Amino acid sequence: MLGLLFVFYSLPLVLLLAVVAKNGWKKYYVAAKTACSLSFLLLLLATALLSDQIHLFFLLLPAFFCCFMGDILLGFYNRGRKRIYFLAGLAVFLAGHICFVRWLCYKQEAKWVDFLFPTAAVAIAFGLTALKKIHTGRLRPFILIYAFFVALFFSKAMHIRMSEPTMQNSMIAVGATLFLVSDLSILFLYFYKKRGVGIHIFNLVTYYFAMFLMATNLLFP
């Protein structure tokens, strides 16, 4: 079942990657990204129904919906490079990560150790955004705040995995790791002096597979 879901989920992603890689297909980017993001909403619903855990669907839906809306906003940013779309997308994704953290705290209450890595992540992000070839401008404070919550999501997921090494928690931990890697690549996708198609593809693949794992973990209660 998991393999079949993976195949159907990957089809719109392949289309999106083709749009990114093909010169002249930029006008299709928003539509392709919307279809690809809609697939993880449908996947979440499917796994909730298959696992008979519809209550978890409603618990996770706010995070998934924020990611869906953030994808659309960043899609418009990629097409027209208007900063308002990037700021709105960043804000919506931040809300999504907070919702993911809330879900993880439903599984295990927050502990002081969960905040150690996020604090270090802010320092790392501060150093990266200070590099000469990375130009964040006035967005730097927002990026540092975002880095804290992305790292908190990762930290909490890893803490749960170490406390309870189940298949479900392993999938969540890998998904959170891919989220962290994908969000780190955003610095080089949007703010680095030289931007290539490769980093864009890497960002999309890690992100959408993170969403796949976050949705299908429901199949392993």
Side-chain angles (χ1 to χ4, degrees), residues 13-175:
L13 177 57
V14 171
L15 175 62
L16 175 60
L17 297 180
V19 169
V20 171
K22 183 71 173 179
N23 290 329
W25 285 14
K26 190 175 182 179
K27 59 184 178 180
Y28 304 117
Y29 183 79
V30 176
K33 203 165 195 289
T34 300
C36 203
S37 300
L38 183 61
S39 67
F40 61 62
L41 284 175
L42 296 175
L43 178 65
L44 177 65
L45 177 60
T47 56
L49 292 173
L50 288 170
S51 63
D52 196 26
Q53 298 191 81
I54 197 66
H55 65 289
L56 291 182
F57 168 78
F58 290 107
L59 192 62
L60 274 168
L61 183 59
F64 273 67
F65 184 73
C66 284
C67 290
F68 173 75
M69 293 303 300
D71 286 335
I72 294 175
L73 289 166
L74 289 185
F76 279 110
Y77 173 75
N78 272 280
R79 192 175 69 177
R81 293 290 168 173
K82 293 184 178 180
R83 180 168 290 191
I84 185 62
Y85 288 125
F86 183 83
L87 285 172
L90 189 68
V92 174
F93 267 114
L94 175 60
H97 285 303
I98 293 173
C99 289
F100 273 126
V101 171
R102 174 179 171 271
W103 167 61
L104 292 179
C105 289
Y106 171 82
K107 294 173 65 67
Q108 181 193 78
E109 66 178 16
K111 302 180 185 298
W112 66 269
V113 70
D114 297 323
F115 296 91
L116 293 178
F117 179 69
T119 303
V122 172
I124 294 170
F126 185 87
L128 288 173
T129 53
L131 295 175
K132 290 183 178 180
K133 291 186 178 181
I134 293 182
H135 306 284
T136 58
R138 296 179 181 178
L139 293 176
R140 194 181 193 188
F142 301 100
I143 293 171
L144 297 180
I145 294 171
Y146 187 84
F148 178 86
F149 284 100
V150 172
L152 181 59
F153 176 30
F154 168 81
S155 178
K156 190 61 194 171
M158 295 303 294
H159 188 183
I160 292 174
R161 169 60 179 79
M162 288 186 288
S163 301
E164 298 178 46
T166 64
M167 181 62 179
Q168 182 185 58
N169 291 338
S170 296
M171 293 178 71
I172 294 171
V174 175

Side-chain angles (χ1 to χ4, degrees), residues 200-219:
H200 197 172
I201 291 175
F202 177 82
N203 171 263
L204 292 172
V205 169
T206 50
Y207 167 68
Y208 280 107
F209 285 151
M211 295 301 288
F212 176 82
L213 291 171
M214 299 311 292
T216 54
N217 81 84
L218 300 185
L219 297 174

